[in-house]
Amino acid sequence: MMNNNTPDPNKIFPIPNFNALTHIKPTITNPNIIVGEFSYFSGRNFQEHVTHHYEFIGDKLIIGKFCQIGEGVNFIMNGANHQMNCASTFPFYIFDGWNETPPSREDLPLKGDTIIGNDVWIGQNVTILPGVHIGDGAIIGLNSTVTRDVEPYTINAGNPARPIRKRFDDELIDLLEKFQWWNKPVNEIQALIPILTCSDIQKVKQELQKFDIS
């Protein structure tokens, strides 16, 4: 969008006169959800889509910068998992009236933090399970269920989501991972837009190779 404004990561509604898409970071109140600047969500209440996220477990959802998260995407956190190393999976301890002490953390099937890289595109109605790591630049197709880690700059889809192909060859992926354009100041990113939006991949490689990113 061509105008004289400066991109503002703290503006909740980044598109003028359109309030159905939000920058995520300025809407977050849960300290265990950490989101980078300019990542957006197609919706108004991102936190409602992070479920089973209980403070006593302490797991984190960490999302990088410039991610694009579609409508209906849900992050299922570790609180959804039930103990499976005993005869019953029923969580008696969370319900009133049952005489059971909570299991130790060692007995719970905790998968760790859920981590989404930078410049990740997640299509609508995707479900991401606990502890998944999605690499920089990955794309997740709509209606997918992500049950395991996703490599950087790969396209994944399905239930469960599986790799379809790499977006680029290994040389360009390596250049992009080293360059980390998302960590540069806004004015530098502005100047890089012709490279970042160029469909001539060979030209992109040549331009990135001009930078000292070894």
Side-chain angles (χ1 to χ4, degrees):
M1 184 177 297
M2 300 294 292
N3 54 46
N4 294 320
N5 296 333
T6 299
D8 182 0
N10 296 311
K11 182 182 292 185
I12 292 178
F13 302 114
I15 301 176
N17 305 312
F18 185 74
N19 61 5
L21 182 147
T22 55
H23 276 148
I24 302 170
K25 183 176 180 178
T27 71
I28 298 300
T29 59
N30 185 334
N32 285 333
I33 301 176
I34 301 165
V35 183
E37 294 181 341
F38 298 107
S39 288
Y40 71 76
F41 171 61
S42 185
R44 299 190 63 172
N45 192 334
F46 177 80
Q47 287 188 162
E48 285 186 350
H49 293 263
V50 183
T51 70
H52 305 85
H53 198 196
Y54 305 129
E55 186 175 354
F56 75 92
I57 292 178
D59 54 341
K60 292 180 171 59
L61 171 60
I62 302 171
I63 298 174
K65 300 177 181 179
F66 293 93
C67 290
Q68 313 113 61
I69 300 178
E71 182 180 2
V73 171
N74 289 300
F75 295 84
I76 312 299
M77 303 301 287
N78 282 282
N81 286 330
H82 291 209
Q83 192 174 0
M84 296 186 291
N85 58 350
C86 45
S88 174
T89 60
F90 193 85
F92 293 98
Y93 64 93
I94 69 173
F95 294 103
D96 187 36
W98 295 104
N99 295 321
E100 187 201 9
T101 57
S104 66
R105 287 178 59 87
E106 290 72 26
D107 277 332
L108 292 172
L110 303 179
K111 304 294 186 181
D113 295 336
T114 300
I115 301 176
I116 314 301
N118 303 279
D119 193 20
V120 172
W121 176 20
I122 302 175
Q124 66 184 40
N125 300 322
V126 167
T127 300
I128 298 173
L129 296 193
V132 164
H133 291 196
I134 298 178
D136 297 326
I139 297 174
I140 310 298
L142 81 169
N143 299 321
S144 297
T145 300
V146 185
T147 63
R148 57 186 180 181
D149 292 354
V150 173
E151 292 295 316
Y153 291 95
T154 59
I155 300 172
N156 288 249
N159 185 4
R162 300 187 183 280
I164 295 173
R165 62 178 175 85
K166 293 182 179 181
R167 292 181 59 195
F168 312 116
D169 62 27
D170 290 342
E171 181 184 14
L172 181 52
I173 291 173
D174 184 60
L175 284 168
L176 288 166
E177 285 281 80
K178 289 177 178 177
F179 190 54
Q180 297 185 11
W181 65 264
W182 44 81
N183 285 329
K184 300 188 182 301
V186 166
N187 64 318
E188 291 186 27
I189 296 174
Q190 291 274 32
L192 289 168
I193 286 176
I195 298 173
L196 299 175
T197 58
C198 178
S199 60
D200 183 341
I201 299 305
Q202 198 57 41
K203 180 179 178 181
V204 173
K205 285 184 190 179
Q206 292 169 356
E207 292 298 320
L208 290 178
Q209 287 165 345
K210 294 176 182 178
F211 293 88
D212 181 13
I213 55 176
S214 58

